[in-house]
Amino acid sequence: MTLGASALLPAANAMAATGCAVTYTTNSWSGGFTASVTVKNLGDPISNWTLGFTFPHSGQRVVQGWSATYDQSGSAVTARSLSYNGSLATGASTTIGFNGSWTTSNPNPTSFTLNGTVCTGSTTPTTAPPTTPPTTPPTTPPTTPPVTTPPPGGQTPVAINGKLRVCGANLCNQYGKPIQLRGMSSHGFHWFPQCYKDQALDAIATDWNSDLFRISMYVQEEGYETDPAGFTARVNELVEKTTARGMYALVDFHTLTPGDPMYNLERAKTFFAAVSARHAAKDNVIYEITNEPNGVSWSTIKNYAEQVIPIIRANDPDAVVVVGTRAWSSLGVSEGGNATEVINNPVNASNVMYAFHFYAASHKDNYRAELERAAARLPMFVTEFGTVAYTGDGAADLASSTQWLDLLDRLKISYANWTFSDKAETSAALRPGTCNGTQFTGTSVLTESGTFMRNRIRTPDNFPTS
Ligand code: IDC
């Protein structure tokens, strides 16, 4: 049932007939929701459009949208068409969507405007008509979490949590519950191949009880660019070994210098096409598409992300993807910026998270404050951090590290610690020489940072299952 304003009202002027109908449907869970909004043009053809609506409650927010550019000011939201879906013939419709968050309740907005005209069509949920597919396909909206299904057999993090998805500003498990993954990052695996032998991965999984393992593949610095096929094969092998041990695999395209991710765009497309094809059927692979952009604008990073994500989505439509942020993944802080540029202009894709990195001896209260502020609006993932200075070396600052990890635990922000390696630098968890042997469990092989991190990571996860 849709009614057009133009059919009912006298034309305001002789220039163009206007009119529209909107259907707005949501799938809501505690604190979060996914909205699907179908816009139907009942007036003369238009070549671009702006949809406006107001949330009934002040706690409702757009977190991450697709198929339109979203802005929110107070409770007022606008969604502007993109190049591929701006043209709407008379009677044509298009569907856009977003992930949102809410506090007290989550009623649907009741009034919509299209290019300033109030849409008098129904807002009753209906089956959305087929629309032109967006260039970045939205993922399947989350289903209502099952409440009675028991956890599947097995106690590994992946067996319990299954396929992950972004829900509001959180990472949620297969039960739709926010979770935090805690684990370790490799160093550049090409420099420390001995550190990722089977006994080492066994220790990460069963002695450290890591939920995830970050596979850091440098792109420059003797990395991927020197042997794309060989490095891709090595990543695939480490993903398989991580999967066999029931951990989530975070595939890190470890760009660092140059800081402009566009320098590696074609390499990234080639690499992620291959890796996502190989692992599309798995539930445990998370893609980190650029490690630490620096010296570039957020819009450049966003542009890169919006070219790489569709490559992954073509093979694996709903894998979680983590996008690096400006200034070495500091949300811009290390170059005098802040998270507002991302909040106001998020990546146009679903199931996307944003990376935040810190080094506890260098980055303190102002970085913590900005992460906490951002995490209320953006799904954040600490894909790399150190207990030491940003050089990867110097004294461990365990007081600052404790403050950081307490914050991440409280906000349920997932993290990976740099590094599970035996490099002679204080960020390394293993004492130099450890990787020559086969003994990786216990504390005798650990540095100060390693001992601290193992104590933090191996405590029970208590993942929610209902
Ligand atoms: C450091 C390593 C060090 C290596 C250097 C250059 O710890 O052994 O020589 O890279 O490759 C980052 C980067 C990460 C850095 C780390 C510490 O993501 O590659 O590793 N760091 O400097 N960002 C901030 C700090």
Side-chain angles (χ1 to χ4, degrees), residues 108-120:
N108 290 353
T110 53
S111 175
F112 301 86
T113 59
L114 190 70
N115 292 347
T117 297
V118 176
C119 301
T120 57

Side-chain angles (χ1 to χ4, degrees), residues 352-373:
V352 165
M353 304 186 77
Y354 299 93
F356 186 82
H357 292 177
F358 65 85
Y359 279 77
S362 306
H363 308 127
K364 299 189 178 178
D365 287 344
N366 61 319
Y367 286 82
R368 284 189 276 265
E370 190 59 9
L371 176 62
E372 180 159 14
R373 188 178 81 87

Side-chain angles (χ1 to χ4, degrees), residues 51-95:
L51 176 76
F53 63 87
T54 301
F55 283 127
H57 273 246
S58 60
Q60 293 172 292
R61 306 220 62 94
V62 174
V63 174
Q64 203 174 24
W66 51 90
S67 308
T69 303
Y70 289 82
D71 277 304
Q72 181 168 359
S73 170
S75 292
V77 178
T78 57
R80 289 194 308 281
S81 57
L82 303 179
S83 53
Y84 74 85
N85 64 3
S87 289
L88 286 180
T90 304
S93 54
T94 190
T95 298

Side-chain angles (χ1 to χ4, degrees), residues 91-387:
S93 54
T94 190
T95 298
I96 63 175
F98 62 90
N99 286 328
S101 61
W102 57 273
T103 51
T104 48
S105 69
N106 189 35
N108 290 353
T110 53
S111 175
F112 301 86
T113 59
L114 190 70
N115 292 347
T117 297
V118 176
C119 301
T120 57
S122 170
T123 56
T124 309
T126 60
T127 305
T131 58
T132 312
T135 50
T136 304
T139 58
T140 310
T143 52
T144 308
V147 286
T148 52
T149 314
Q155 288 304 308
T156 69
V158 176
I160 296 168
N161 293 295
K163 188 183 244 335
L164 306 178
R165 63 178 165 79
V166 175
C167 53
N170 289 298
L171 180 63
C172 278
N173 65 11
Q174 62 180 336
Y175 303 101
K177 300 295 178 190
I179 61 164
Q180 177 197 34
L181 302 176
R182 299 174 292 158
M184 292 301 291
S185 175
S186 74
H187 202 296
F189 61 70
H190 63 312
W191 288 320
F192 301 93
Q194 296 279 77
C195 292
Y196 312 108
K197 58 180 71 154
D198 285 349
Q199 296 91 339
L201 294 169
D202 288 344
I204 295 170
T206 60
D207 183 49
W208 288 61
N209 301 341
S210 266
D211 307 319
L212 82 159
F213 180 56
R214 180 184 191 232
I215 300 164
S216 287
M217 184 192 74
Y218 276 80
V219 183
Q220 276 71 50
E221 301 191 61
E222 306 159 326
Y224 175 86
E225 67 179 3
T226 65
D227 177 14
F231 275 72
T232 302
R234 183 71 176 129
V235 168
N236 284 337
E237 182 190 347
L238 287 169
V239 170
E240 298 296 350
K241 287 174 182 280
T242 303
T243 305
R245 290 165 177 79
M247 294 184 286
Y248 289 90
L250 181 57
V251 176
D252 163 30
F253 194 70
H254 200 85
T255 56
L256 189 56
T257 307
D260 183 349
M262 286 299 187
Y263 179 81
N264 288 303
L265 178 63
E266 291 310 314
R267 291 182 194 91
K269 287 182 174 176
T270 303
F271 172 75
F272 283 108
V275 174
S276 63
R278 165 73 180 265
H279 305 292
K282 294 185 176 67
D283 282 345
N284 67 313
V285 183
I286 302 171
Y287 297 100
E288 182 181 3
I289 60 175
T290 176
N291 170 49
E292 291 192 348
N294 57 87
V296 286
S297 65
W298 167 244
S299 64
T300 298
I301 302 166
K302 177 176 141 86
N303 181 9
Y304 168 87
E306 289 174 359
Q307 296 191 61
V308 175
I309 291 170
I311 302 282
I312 297 172
R313 295 287 191 247
N315 294 320
D316 191 342
D318 46 16
V320 172
V321 173
V322 188
V323 179
T325 57
R326 189 157 73 86
W328 299 275
S329 289
S330 70
L331 283 166
V333 178
S334 290
E335 289 173 357
N338 60 55
T340 302
E341 63 191 15
V342 184
I343 293 169
N344 286 346
N345 191 20
V347 172
N348 186 33
S350 58
N351 271 324
V352 165
M353 304 186 77
Y354 299 93
F356 186 82
H357 292 177
F358 65 85
Y359 279 77
S362 306
H363 308 127
K364 299 189 178 178
D365 287 344
N366 61 319
Y367 286 82
R368 284 189 276 265
E370 190 59 9
L371 176 62
E372 180 159 14
R373 188 178 81 87
R377 300 286 300 275
L378 299 170
M380 301 302 305
F381 198 131
V382 172
T383 52
E384 179 186 311
F385 77 96
T387 58

Side-chain angles (χ1 to χ4, degrees), residues 6 15-20 40-49 85-93 114-115:
S6 62
M15 289 173 66
T18 58
C20 44
K40 185 171 189 178
N41 176 29
L42 298 172
D44 287 343
I46 51 180
S47 55
N48 54 63
W49 46 264
N85 64 3
S87 289
L88 286 180
T90 304
S93 54
L114 190 70
N115 292 347

